[in-house]
Amino acid sequence: MRIILASKSPRRREILTMLGVPFEIVSADADETSNITDPALLVRELALRKGRAVRELLRSEGRLDENTLIIASDTVVAAEGRILGKPTDDADAARMLRMLSGRSHHVISGVALLQGTREIADFDQTAVRFAPMTEAEILWYVQSGEPRDKAGAYAVQGLASLFIEGLTGDYFNVVGLPVHKLDLLVRTFTGRSLPELSL
Amino acid sequence: MRIILASKSPRRREILTMLGVPFEIVSADADETSNITDPALLVRELALRKGRAVRELLRSEGRLDENTLIIASDTVVAAEGRILGKPTDDADAARMLRMLSGRSHHVISGVALLQGTREIADFDQTAVRFAPMTEAEILWYVQSGEPRDKAGAYAVQGLASLFIEGLTGDYFNVVGLPVHKLDLLVRTFTGRSLPELSL
């Protein structure tokens, strides 16, 4: 089985590497505009689109065969009824962190698997509870540079851990790839577990 | 402020490094025998003993001053009313994993801070929910070597993530150092946050 990770995210690469799964990275731009307002349905759809974009790219290059399994994922942060993507700048990051401070929010990742013409997709959700942050703490955290390029303007695996009281659900879902859910999906789709794919 | 981590655990070192805190490692053997059966009170006491053992070592070597802050921690896994430490061998690891399979258990870390003659200690608790594991999965995981030298015979930050449905509480507490609780304790004890200690 040849495994393709349809993602540019260094965090997703690290997670798959940690699991001992050999994989290649192929990413392709997918249309991310959507009318879907439910975050779980949205990330499920965006993961599928990312996977399909990579499938089309591989097909057009003559590199797609029945042995190729494409894994795609998309993550958003949902807080106060709004969906937070990556901050546009430091002021936007500070605005997002003020929304998260002293409250719980949800991190939702969609996962899609594609092989030949077959597709399967699902999502996983984790609640994350932030301690109240002072304005000085928000500025300190923004200035650390960590919020850049992170959905919701924080990295659970970094300095933000100082401000996170706790979470409920899969930790790796917050990092960007819901490991347990992915393994369940791989078992349903291929009849083998994620580690068995490379045997 | 000179910070001493009273621990040999590579995971605790990685966490403090991730937080950008400069520290030295000094470890000393502490008596770990105790009649305490409550796991939270036990890890709190063992963290204090580890910190005191390091304080005595530094004092005996003339290396203790008022600027030295000692951080000590101890972690246990509590499942089915029993306390699980590190497995003695692969058979013991398999026995522990059979206890954790398909159930929730608690990971409890004690943290102690010592400076001069002052001491403070607390604990943090995280619930971890394992999916049911087949005997083949348990053997595969034991053979990966990951359970060795880990309390409860698993590493939440490794291959065990495949089998962990979710957790409730601080993820880093399960890795071995409850980051948010440690920061709260440092603020109470020193009046400064953990990142501010090195300024």
Side-chain angles (χ1 to χ4, degrees), chain A residues 18-20 124 129 131 137 140 146 156-159 161-172 179-180 183 187 193-195, chain B residues 18-20 124 129 131 137 140 146 156-159 161-172 179-180 183 187 193-195:
Chain A
M18 163 195 93
L19 296 173
D124 196 17
R129 197 170 64 254
E137 285 168 346
W140 172 82
E146 195 174 273
V156 67
Q157 72 280 14
L159 297 173
S161 59
L162 290 162
F163 306 110
I164 294 175
E165 290 179 346
L167 51 88
T168 301
D170 187 342
Y171 165 81
F172 290 103
V179 171
H180 181 64
D183 188 42
R187 286 164 188 250
S193 72
L194 195 52
Chain B
M18 163 195 94
L19 296 174
D124 196 17
R129 199 169 62 253
E137 286 168 346
W140 173 82
E146 195 173 273
V156 67
Q157 72 279 14
L159 296 174
S161 59
L162 290 162
F163 307 110
I164 294 175
E165 291 179 344
L167 52 89
T168 300
D170 187 342
Y171 165 81
F172 290 102
V179 171
H180 181 65
D183 188 42
R187 285 164 189 250
S193 72
L194 196 51

Short mmCIF file of all heavy atoms in Angstrom, two decimals, chain A residues 18-20 124 129 131 137 140 146 156-159 161-172 179-180 183 187 193-195, chain B residues 18-20 124 129 131 137 140 146 156-159 161-172 179-180 183 187 193-195:
data_model
loop_
_atom_site.label_atom_id
_atom_site.label_comp_id
_atom_site.label_asym_id
_atom_site.label_seq_id
_atom_site.Cartn_x
_atom_site.Cartn_y
_atom_site.Cartn_z
N MET A 18 5.49 9.70 13.73
CA MET A 18 5.49 9.11 15.08
C MET A 18 4.83 7.75 15.08
O MET A 18 5.22 6.85 15.84
CB MET A 18 4.75 10.07 16.02
CG MET A 18 4.29 9.48 17.34
SD MET A 18 3.07 10.56 18.19
CE MET A 18 1.51 9.88 17.60
N LEU A 19 3.82 7.56 14.21
CA LEU A 19 3.09 6.28 14.17
C LEU A 19 3.83 5.23 13.36
O LEU A 19 3.37 4.09 13.23
CB LEU A 19 1.69 6.50 13.59
CG LEU A 19 0.78 7.42 14.43
CD1 LEU A 19 -0.51 7.70 13.69
CD2 LEU A 19 0.49 6.79 15.79
N GLY A 20 4.99 5.60 12.80
CA GLY A 20 5.79 4.63 12.06
C GLY A 20 5.21 4.29 10.70
O GLY A 20 5.55 3.25 10.12
N ASP A 124 -13.76 14.40 13.98
CA ASP A 124 -13.60 14.20 15.42
C ASP A 124 -13.58 15.58 16.08
O ASP A 124 -13.14 16.56 15.46
CB ASP A 124 -12.31 13.43 15.72
CG ASP A 124 -12.30 12.88 17.14
OD1 ASP A 124 -13.36 12.80 17.78
OD2 ASP A 124 -11.21 12.53 17.63
N ARG A 129 -10.29 23.88 27.04
CA ARG A 129 -10.66 24.90 28.04
C ARG A 129 -9.45 25.78 28.35
O ARG A 129 -8.42 25.32 28.85
CB ARG A 129 -11.12 24.18 29.32
CG ARG A 129 -11.91 25.02 30.29
CD ARG A 129 -12.52 24.15 31.40
NE ARG A 129 -11.52 23.50 32.22
CZ ARG A 129 -11.20 22.20 32.18
NH1 ARG A 129 -11.80 21.38 31.35
NH2 ARG A 129 -10.26 21.71 32.97
N ALA A 131 -7.68 28.90 30.39
CA ALA A 131 -7.73 29.73 31.59
C ALA A 131 -7.89 31.19 31.15
O ALA A 131 -7.58 31.53 30.00
CB ALA A 131 -6.44 29.56 32.39
N GLU A 137 -0.51 38.74 28.91
CA GLU A 137 -0.23 37.35 28.51
C GLU A 137 -0.55 37.12 27.03
O GLU A 137 0.19 36.44 26.33
CB GLU A 137 -1.03 36.38 29.39
CG GLU A 137 -0.45 36.26 30.80
CD GLU A 137 -1.37 35.55 31.78
OE1 GLU A 137 -2.57 35.37 31.48
OE2 GLU A 137 -0.88 35.20 32.86
N TRP A 140 2.23 38.77 25.08
CA TRP A 140 3.45 37.95 25.20
C TRP A 140 3.35 36.74 24.27
O TRP A 140 4.30 36.41 23.56
CB TRP A 140 3.63 37.48 26.66
CG TRP A 140 4.75 36.49 26.83
CD1 TRP A 140 6.09 36.78 26.95
CD2 TRP A 140 4.62 35.06 26.87
NE1 TRP A 140 6.80 35.61 27.07
CE2 TRP A 140 5.93 34.54 27.02
CE3 TRP A 140 3.55 34.17 26.79
CZ2 TRP A 140 6.20 33.17 27.10
CZ3 TRP A 140 3.81 32.81 26.86
CH2 TRP A 140 5.12 32.32 27.02
N GLU A 146 4.25 32.07 17.96
CA GLU A 146 3.61 30.75 17.86
C GLU A 146 2.22 30.77 17.22
O GLU A 146 1.86 29.82 16.51
CB GLU A 146 3.55 30.12 19.27
CG GLU A 146 3.25 28.64 19.25
CD GLU A 146 3.34 28.02 20.65
OE1 GLU A 146 4.44 27.61 21.04
OE2 GLU A 146 2.31 27.96 21.35
N VAL A 156 -1.48 23.87 20.73
CA VAL A 156 -1.68 23.10 21.97
C VAL A 156 -0.39 22.41 22.40
O VAL A 156 -0.16 22.17 23.58
CB VAL A 156 -2.83 22.09 21.78
CG1 VAL A 156 -2.45 21.00 20.78
CG2 VAL A 156 -3.28 21.47 23.09
N GLN A 157 0.47 22.11 21.41
CA GLN A 157 1.71 21.39 21.68
C GLN A 157 2.86 22.33 22.02
O GLN A 157 4.01 21.90 22.10
CB GLN A 157 2.09 20.50 20.49
CG GLN A 157 2.58 21.22 19.24
CD GLN A 157 1.46 21.82 18.37
OE1 GLN A 157 0.33 21.93 18.80
NE2 GLN A 157 1.81 22.22 17.16
N GLY A 158 2.57 23.64 22.20
CA GLY A 158 3.63 24.60 22.46
C GLY A 158 3.36 25.42 23.71
O GLY A 158 2.85 24.91 24.72
N LEU A 159 3.70 26.72 23.64
CA LEU A 159 3.57 27.60 24.80
C LEU A 159 2.13 27.76 25.27
O LEU A 159 1.88 28.09 26.43
CB LEU A 159 4.14 28.99 24.46
CG LEU A 159 5.64 29.02 24.14
CD1 LEU A 159 6.04 30.41 23.66
CD2 LEU A 159 6.45 28.63 25.37
N SER A 161 0.20 25.62 26.04
CA SER A 161 -0.07 24.65 27.11
C SER A 161 -0.07 25.31 28.49
O SER A 161 -0.71 24.81 29.42
CB SER A 161 0.96 23.51 27.07
OG SER A 161 2.26 24.03 27.22
N LEU A 162 0.63 26.43 28.63
CA LEU A 162 0.63 27.16 29.90
C LEU A 162 -0.76 27.66 30.26
O LEU A 162 -1.10 27.81 31.44
CB LEU A 162 1.58 28.37 29.81
CG LEU A 162 3.08 28.06 29.75
CD1 LEU A 162 3.83 29.27 29.23
CD2 LEU A 162 3.59 27.66 31.13
N PHE A 163 -1.56 27.94 29.24
CA PHE A 163 -2.87 28.57 29.46
C PHE A 163 -4.03 27.60 29.31
O PHE A 163 -5.18 27.99 29.47
CB PHE A 163 -3.05 29.73 28.46
CG PHE A 163 -1.92 30.73 28.51
CD1 PHE A 163 -1.02 30.83 27.46
CD2 PHE A 163 -1.73 31.54 29.63
CE1 PHE A 163 0.04 31.74 27.51
CE2 PHE A 163 -0.69 32.44 29.69
CZ PHE A 163 0.21 32.54 28.63
N ILE A 164 -3.75 26.35 28.97
CA ILE A 164 -4.82 25.38 28.73
C ILE A 164 -5.08 24.57 30.00
O ILE A 164 -4.22 23.81 30.44
CB ILE A 164 -4.49 24.47 27.53
CG1 ILE A 164 -4.48 25.33 26.25
CG2 ILE A 164 -5.50 23.33 27.41
CD1 ILE A 164 -4.06 24.61 25.01
N GLU A 165 -6.26 24.76 30.59
CA GLU A 165 -6.60 24.06 31.82
C GLU A 165 -6.79 22.57 31.56
O GLU A 165 -6.44 21.73 32.39
CB GLU A 165 -7.87 24.65 32.42
CG GLU A 165 -7.65 26.05 32.98
CD GLU A 165 -8.92 26.67 33.55
OE1 GLU A 165 -10.02 26.14 33.29
OE2 GLU A 165 -8.81 27.69 34.26
N GLY A 166 -7.37 22.26 30.41
CA GLY A 166 -7.58 20.85 30.09
C GLY A 166 -8.34 20.71 28.81
O GLY A 166 -8.81 21.70 28.23
N LEU A 167 -8.43 19.48 28.34
CA LEU A 167 -9.22 19.21 27.14
C LEU A 167 -10.02 17.94 27.35
O LEU A 167 -9.75 17.16 28.27
CB LEU A 167 -8.34 19.15 25.90
CG LEU A 167 -7.11 18.24 25.91
CD1 LEU A 167 -7.48 16.85 25.46
CD2 LEU A 167 -6.07 18.81 24.95
N THR A 168 -11.02 17.75 26.51
CA THR A 168 -11.84 16.54 26.55
C THR A 168 -11.92 16.00 25.13
O THR A 168 -12.51 16.63 24.26
CB THR A 168 -13.26 16.85 27.08
OG1 THR A 168 -13.15 17.41 28.40
CG2 THR A 168 -14.10 15.58 27.16
N GLY A 169 -11.29 14.85 24.91
CA GLY A 169 -11.27 14.24 23.59
C GLY A 169 -9.86 13.86 23.20
O GLY A 169 -8.99 13.73 24.06
N ASP A 170 -9.62 13.70 21.91
CA ASP A 170 -8.32 13.28 21.40
C ASP A 170 -7.38 14.48 21.32
O ASP A 170 -7.66 15.45 20.61
CB ASP A 170 -8.51 12.64 20.01
CG ASP A 170 -7.23 12.01 19.46
OD1 ASP A 170 -6.13 12.34 19.96
OD2 ASP A 170 -7.31 11.20 18.53
N TYR A 171 -6.25 14.41 22.04
CA TYR A 171 -5.27 15.50 22.00
C TYR A 171 -4.75 15.73 20.58
O TYR A 171 -4.61 16.87 20.13
CB TYR A 171 -4.11 15.15 22.94
CG TYR A 171 -2.86 15.97 22.75
CD1 TYR A 171 -2.75 17.24 23.31
CD2 TYR A 171 -1.79 15.48 22.02
CE1 TYR A 171 -1.60 18.00 23.15
CE2 TYR A 171 -0.64 16.23 21.84
CZ TYR A 171 -0.55 17.49 22.41
OH TYR A 171 0.58 18.24 22.24
N PHE A 172 -4.47 14.64 19.85
CA PHE A 172 -3.86 14.78 18.52
C PHE A 172 -4.84 15.39 17.51
O PHE A 172 -4.42 15.96 16.51
CB PHE A 172 -3.30 13.45 18.03
CG PHE A 172 -2.09 13.04 18.81
CD1 PHE A 172 -2.17 12.07 19.81
CD2 PHE A 172 -0.88 13.67 18.60
CE1 PHE A 172 -1.06 11.73 20.55
CE2 PHE A 172 0.24 13.34 19.35
CZ PHE A 172 0.15 12.36 20.32
N VAL A 179 -5.84 10.82 15.60
CA VAL A 179 -5.16 9.54 15.37
C VAL A 179 -6.10 8.35 15.55
O VAL A 179 -6.14 7.45 14.70
CB VAL A 179 -3.94 9.41 16.31
CG1 VAL A 179 -3.36 8.00 16.25
CG2 VAL A 179 -2.88 10.43 15.93
N HIS A 180 -6.83 8.33 16.67
CA HIS A 180 -7.69 7.16 16.93
C HIS A 180 -8.79 7.06 15.87
O HIS A 180 -9.06 5.98 15.34
CB HIS A 180 -8.28 7.25 18.34
CG HIS A 180 -9.15 6.10 18.69
ND1 HIS A 180 -8.67 4.81 18.79
CD2 HIS A 180 -10.49 6.02 18.92
CE1 HIS A 180 -9.68 4.00 19.09
NE2 HIS A 180 -10.78 4.70 19.16
N ASP A 183 -7.41 5.82 12.59
CA ASP A 183 -7.17 4.37 12.61
C ASP A 183 -8.48 3.60 12.43
O ASP A 183 -8.54 2.63 11.68
CB ASP A 183 -6.47 3.98 13.91
CG ASP A 183 -6.01 2.52 13.92
OD1 ASP A 183 -5.49 2.06 12.88
OD2 ASP A 183 -6.21 1.85 14.94
N ARG A 187 -9.38 1.12 9.30
CA ARG A 187 -9.83 -0.27 9.50
C ARG A 187 -11.12 -0.53 8.73
O ARG A 187 -11.29 -1.58 8.11
CB ARG A 187 -10.07 -0.54 10.99
CG ARG A 187 -8.78 -0.69 11.78
CD ARG A 187 -9.08 -0.57 13.28
NE ARG A 187 -7.86 -0.51 14.06
CZ ARG A 187 -7.44 -1.47 14.87
NH1 ARG A 187 -8.13 -2.58 15.01
NH2 ARG A 187 -6.32 -1.34 15.55
N SER A 193 -5.37 -2.21 10.15
CA SER A 193 -5.11 -1.04 10.98
C SER A 193 -4.05 -0.17 10.31
O SER A 193 -3.35 -0.60 9.39
CB SER A 193 -4.62 -1.47 12.36
OG SER A 193 -3.31 -1.99 12.26
N LEU A 194 -3.92 1.05 10.78
CA LEU A 194 -2.94 1.98 10.23
C LEU A 194 -1.52 1.40 10.25
O LEU A 194 -0.83 1.42 9.21
CB LEU A 194 -3.05 3.30 11.00
CG LEU A 194 -2.42 4.57 10.45
CD1 LEU A 194 -2.85 4.85 9.03
CD2 LEU A 194 -2.79 5.76 11.35
N PRO A 195 -1.04 0.85 11.38
CA PRO A 195 0.31 0.28 11.36
C PRO A 195 0.43 -0.92 10.42
O PRO A 195 1.51 -1.18 9.88
CB PRO A 195 0.54 -0.17 12.82
CG PRO A 195 -0.45 0.59 13.63
CD PRO A 195 -1.62 0.84 12.74
N MET B 18 10.45 22.78 25.72
CA MET B 18 9.40 23.33 24.85
C MET B 18 8.88 24.66 25.38
O MET B 18 8.52 25.55 24.61
CB MET B 18 8.26 22.31 24.75
CG MET B 18 6.95 22.85 24.23
SD MET B 18 5.57 21.69 24.58
CE MET B 18 4.95 22.34 26.15
N LEU B 19 8.86 24.80 26.72
CA LEU B 19 8.34 26.03 27.33
C LEU B 19 9.38 27.15 27.34
O LEU B 19 9.10 28.26 27.80
CB LEU B 19 7.86 25.75 28.76
CG LEU B 19 6.68 24.77 28.85
CD1 LEU B 19 6.38 24.43 30.31
CD2 LEU B 19 5.43 25.35 28.18
N GLY B 20 10.57 26.86 26.84
CA GLY B 20 11.60 27.88 26.76
C GLY B 20 12.22 28.24 28.09
O GLY B 20 12.81 29.31 28.24
N ASP B 124 -2.19 17.01 39.86
CA ASP B 124 -3.18 17.16 38.79
C ASP B 124 -3.57 15.78 38.30
O ASP B 124 -2.76 14.84 38.36
CB ASP B 124 -2.60 17.99 37.64
CG ASP B 124 -3.68 18.51 36.69
OD1 ASP B 124 -4.87 18.51 37.08
OD2 ASP B 124 -3.34 18.92 35.57
N ARG B 129 -9.14 7.39 28.37
CA ARG B 129 -10.06 6.33 27.96
C ARG B 129 -9.44 5.51 26.83
O ARG B 129 -9.15 6.01 25.75
CB ARG B 129 -11.36 6.98 27.46
CG ARG B 129 -12.56 6.09 27.41
CD ARG B 129 -13.84 6.90 27.15
NE ARG B 129 -13.83 7.59 25.86
CZ ARG B 129 -13.67 8.90 25.68
NH1 ARG B 129 -13.49 9.71 26.70
NH2 ARG B 129 -13.68 9.42 24.48
N ALA B 131 -9.63 2.46 24.06
CA ALA B 131 -10.51 1.59 23.28
C ALA B 131 -10.20 0.15 23.66
O ALA B 131 -9.13 -0.15 24.18
CB ALA B 131 -10.27 1.81 21.78
N GLU B 137 -3.24 -6.91 19.40
CA GLU B 137 -2.83 -5.50 19.50
C GLU B 137 -1.95 -5.27 20.72
O GLU B 137 -0.97 -4.53 20.66
CB GLU B 137 -4.07 -4.60 19.54
CG GLU B 137 -4.74 -4.48 18.18
CD GLU B 137 -6.13 -3.84 18.24
OE1 GLU B 137 -6.70 -3.72 19.34
OE2 GLU B 137 -6.64 -3.49 17.17
N TRP B 140 1.43 -6.71 19.89
CA TRP B 140 2.10 -5.82 18.93
C TRP B 140 2.67 -4.60 19.65
O TRP B 140 3.82 -4.20 19.44
CB TRP B 140 1.10 -5.37 17.84
CG TRP B 140 1.66 -4.33 16.92
CD1 TRP B 140 2.47 -4.54 15.84
CD2 TRP B 140 1.48 -2.90 17.01
NE1 TRP B 140 2.79 -3.33 15.24
CE2 TRP B 140 2.20 -2.31 15.95
CE3 TRP B 140 0.77 -2.08 17.90
CZ2 TRP B 140 2.23 -0.93 15.74
CZ3 TRP B 140 0.81 -0.70 17.69
CH2 TRP B 140 1.53 -0.14 16.62
N GLU B 146 7.71 0.25 23.29
CA GLU B 146 7.30 1.54 23.86
C GLU B 146 6.87 1.45 25.33
O GLU B 146 7.11 2.39 26.10
CB GLU B 146 6.17 2.13 23.01
CG GLU B 146 5.91 3.59 23.28
CD GLU B 146 4.90 4.18 22.29
OE1 GLU B 146 5.32 4.63 21.22
OE2 GLU B 146 3.69 4.19 22.60
N VAL B 156 1.41 8.06 25.95
CA VAL B 156 0.30 8.78 25.30
C VAL B 156 0.80 9.53 24.07
O VAL B 156 0.05 9.74 23.11
CB VAL B 156 -0.36 9.74 26.32
CG1 VAL B 156 0.57 10.87 26.72
CG2 VAL B 156 -1.68 10.30 25.80
N GLN B 157 2.09 9.91 24.08
CA GLN B 157 2.66 10.70 22.98
C GLN B 157 3.23 9.80 21.88
O GLN B 157 3.90 10.29 20.98
CB GLN B 157 3.74 11.64 23.52
CG GLN B 157 5.04 10.98 23.96
CD GLN B 157 5.00 10.35 25.36
OE1 GLN B 157 3.94 10.17 25.93
NE2 GLN B 157 6.15 9.98 25.88
N GLY B 158 2.97 8.49 21.95
CA GLY B 158 3.53 7.56 20.97
C GLY B 158 2.47 6.71 20.32
O GLY B 158 1.35 7.16 20.05
N LEU B 159 2.82 5.43 20.08
CA LEU B 159 1.92 4.51 19.37
C LEU B 159 0.62 4.26 20.14
O LEU B 159 -0.39 3.90 19.53
CB LEU B 159 2.64 3.18 19.14
CG LEU B 159 3.87 3.23 18.23
CD1 LEU B 159 4.58 1.88 18.21
CD2 LEU B 159 3.48 3.65 16.82
N SER B 161 -1.37 6.27 21.13
CA SER B 161 -2.39 7.20 20.64
C SER B 161 -3.38 6.51 19.71
O SER B 161 -4.53 6.94 19.58
CB SER B 161 -1.74 8.39 19.93
OG SER B 161 -0.97 7.95 18.84
N LEU B 162 -2.96 5.43 19.06
CA LEU B 162 -3.86 4.66 18.20
C LEU B 162 -5.02 4.08 19.00
O LEU B 162 -6.12 3.87 18.46
CB LEU B 162 -3.10 3.51 17.53
CG LEU B 162 -2.07 3.90 16.45
CD1 LEU B 162 -1.12 2.75 16.20
CD2 LEU B 162 -2.79 4.31 15.17
N PHE B 163 -4.78 3.77 20.26
CA PHE B 163 -5.76 3.07 21.09
C PHE B 163 -6.48 3.97 22.09
O PHE B 163 -7.33 3.52 22.84
CB PHE B 163 -5.07 1.92 21.85
CG PHE B 163 -4.30 1.00 20.95
CD1 PHE B 163 -2.92 0.96 20.96
CD2 PHE B 163 -4.97 0.17 20.06
CE1 PHE B 163 -2.21 0.13 20.12
CE2 PHE B 163 -4.28 -0.67 19.21
CZ PHE B 163 -2.89 -0.70 19.24
N ILE B 164 -6.10 5.25 22.14
CA ILE B 164 -6.69 6.16 23.12
C ILE B 164 -7.84 6.93 22.48
O ILE B 164 -7.66 7.72 21.57
CB ILE B 164 -5.62 7.11 23.70
CG1 ILE B 164 -4.61 6.28 24.51
CG2 ILE B 164 -6.26 8.20 24.57
CD1 ILE B 164 -3.44 7.06 25.04
N GLU B 165 -9.06 6.65 22.97
CA GLU B 165 -10.25 7.31 22.42
C GLU B 165 -10.26 8.79 22.78
O GLU B 165 -10.68 9.62 21.99
CB GLU B 165 -11.51 6.64 22.96
CG GLU B 165 -11.70 5.23 22.41
CD GLU B 165 -12.94 4.54 22.96
OE1 GLU B 165 -13.49 5.01 23.97
OE2 GLU B 165 -13.34 3.53 22.37
N GLY B 166 -9.81 9.10 23.98
CA GLY B 166 -9.78 10.50 24.39
C GLY B 166 -9.34 10.63 25.82
O GLY B 166 -9.18 9.63 26.52
N LEU B 167 -9.12 11.86 26.23
CA LEU B 167 -8.76 12.10 27.62
C LEU B 167 -9.51 13.32 28.12
O LEU B 167 -10.05 14.10 27.32
CB LEU B 167 -7.25 12.25 27.78
CG LEU B 167 -6.50 13.24 26.90
CD1 LEU B 167 -6.45 14.61 27.53
CD2 LEU B 167 -5.06 12.74 26.71
N THR B 168 -9.55 13.47 29.43
CA THR B 168 -10.20 14.63 30.04
C THR B 168 -9.23 15.21 31.06
O THR B 168 -8.92 14.58 32.07
CB THR B 168 -11.52 14.24 30.74
OG1 THR B 168 -12.40 13.66 29.76
CG2 THR B 168 -12.21 15.45 31.34
N GLY B 169 -8.71 16.40 30.75
CA GLY B 169 -7.75 17.04 31.64
C GLY B 169 -6.55 17.52 30.84
O GLY B 169 -6.61 17.64 29.61
N ASP B 170 -5.44 17.74 31.54
CA ASP B 170 -4.22 18.24 30.91
C ASP B 170 -3.47 17.09 30.23
O ASP B 170 -3.07 16.12 30.88
CB ASP B 170 -3.34 18.90 31.99
CG ASP B 170 -2.11 19.61 31.40
OD1 ASP B 170 -1.74 19.33 30.24
OD2 ASP B 170 -1.53 20.45 32.11
N TYR B 171 -3.26 17.19 28.92
CA TYR B 171 -2.52 16.17 28.17
C TYR B 171 -1.09 16.01 28.72
O TYR B 171 -0.60 14.88 28.89
CB TYR B 171 -2.48 16.57 26.68
CG TYR B 171 -1.47 15.82 25.86
CD1 TYR B 171 -1.73 14.54 25.38
CD2 TYR B 171 -0.23 16.38 25.54
CE1 TYR B 171 -0.80 13.84 24.62
CE2 TYR B 171 0.70 15.70 24.79
CZ TYR B 171 0.41 14.43 24.33
OH TYR B 171 1.33 13.75 23.59
N PHE B 172 -0.42 17.12 29.01
CA PHE B 172 0.98 17.04 29.43
C PHE B 172 1.12 16.40 30.81
O PHE B 172 2.18 15.89 31.15
CB PHE B 172 1.64 18.42 29.38
CG PHE B 172 1.83 18.88 27.96
CD1 PHE B 172 0.98 19.81 27.40
CD2 PHE B 172 2.82 18.32 27.18
CE1 PHE B 172 1.13 20.20 26.08
CE2 PHE B 172 2.97 18.69 25.86
CZ PHE B 172 2.14 19.63 25.30
N VAL B 179 1.60 20.98 32.95
CA VAL B 179 2.16 22.29 32.63
C VAL B 179 1.33 23.43 33.23
O VAL B 179 1.88 24.33 33.86
CB VAL B 179 2.25 22.47 31.09
CG1 VAL B 179 2.60 23.91 30.73
CG2 VAL B 179 3.29 21.51 30.52
N HIS B 180 0.02 23.37 33.05
CA HIS B 180 -0.81 24.48 33.55
C HIS B 180 -0.76 24.54 35.08
O HIS B 180 -0.60 25.62 35.66
CB HIS B 180 -2.25 24.32 33.05
CG HIS B 180 -3.15 25.42 33.50
ND1 HIS B 180 -2.99 26.74 33.11
CD2 HIS B 180 -4.22 25.42 34.34
CE1 HIS B 180 -3.91 27.48 33.68
NE2 HIS B 180 -4.67 26.71 34.43
N ASP B 183 2.55 25.95 36.25
CA ASP B 183 2.61 27.41 36.09
C ASP B 183 1.83 28.11 37.21
O ASP B 183 2.31 29.10 37.78
CB ASP B 183 2.07 27.81 34.72
CG ASP B 183 2.29 29.28 34.42
OD1 ASP B 183 3.38 29.81 34.73
OD2 ASP B 183 1.37 29.93 33.89
N ARG B 187 3.46 30.61 40.02
CA ARG B 187 2.93 31.97 40.27
C ARG B 187 2.63 32.18 41.75
O ARG B 187 2.92 33.23 42.32
CB ARG B 187 1.64 32.19 39.47
CG ARG B 187 1.88 32.40 37.98
CD ARG B 187 0.57 32.23 37.21
NE ARG B 187 0.79 32.22 35.78
CZ ARG B 187 0.40 33.20 34.95
NH1 ARG B 187 -0.24 34.24 35.42
NH2 ARG B 187 0.64 33.11 33.66
N SER B 193 5.27 34.15 36.56
CA SER B 193 4.89 32.97 35.78
C SER B 193 6.14 32.16 35.42
O SER B 193 7.27 32.67 35.52
CB SER B 193 4.15 33.39 34.51
OG SER B 193 5.06 33.98 33.61
N LEU B 194 5.94 30.95 34.97
CA LEU B 194 7.06 30.09 34.58
C LEU B 194 7.95 30.74 33.53
O LEU B 194 9.18 30.80 33.71
CB LEU B 194 6.48 28.75 34.10
CG LEU B 194 7.37 27.53 33.97
CD1 LEU B 194 8.17 27.26 35.23
CD2 LEU B 194 6.54 26.31 33.60
N PRO B 195 7.38 31.30 32.42
CA PRO B 195 8.26 31.95 31.44
C PRO B 195 8.98 33.17 32.01
O PRO B 195 10.08 33.50 31.57
CB PRO B 195 7.30 32.37 30.32
CG PRO B 195 6.09 31.53 30.47
CD PRO B 195 5.98 31.24 31.94
#
